[in-house]
Amino acid sequence: MLVGMAAGGWLIVRSTLVWGDNNGDDAFGIDIPIAATVLALWAGAATLLLRPPRSVLAWQSGPFRTEPLLVRC
C-alpha cells in the first residue's frame, strides 16, 4: 500500500514540476514513467486482490433479491 501511495505522490510532484515549469530547469526524467508504471501495477494488483473469487459468490433467486451475494464462512 505504501509503495503505491509513494509512487502516486512522486508521480504527481514530478509531473507538476516538469509540466508547470516554463524555464525548463526541471527535465523530464526516467523516474516519471517508472512511478507511473509502479502506480498502475499497484492499482491493478489492488483491484485483483479486492475482487472476490466466483467460488464465494452466491445467487439468491426470488421476488426480493436478484443481485449477487457474498457468502462468508
Side-chain angles (χ1 to χ4, degrees):
M1 188 77 145
L2 289 175
V3 170
M5 292 173 66
W10 184 259
L11 178 63
I12 199 84
V13 167
R14 280 289 289 145
S15 299
T16 303
L17 288 176
V18 168
W19 293 311
D21 185 21
N22 292 333
N23 297 331
D25 294 336
D26 289 321
F28 184 87
I30 190 66
D31 58 337
I32 293 176
I34 290 173
T37 303
V38 170
L39 186 63
L41 289 173
W42 170 76
T47 302
L48 287 176
L49 289 174
L50 291 176
R51 291 185 58 195
R54 292 191 62 79
S55 61
V56 298
L57 288 178
W59 295 86
Q60 179 179 358
S61 61
F64 299 110
R65 298 185 74 110
T66 57
E67 66 268 3
L69 301 172
L70 186 62
V71 177
R72 297 177 192 255
C73 298

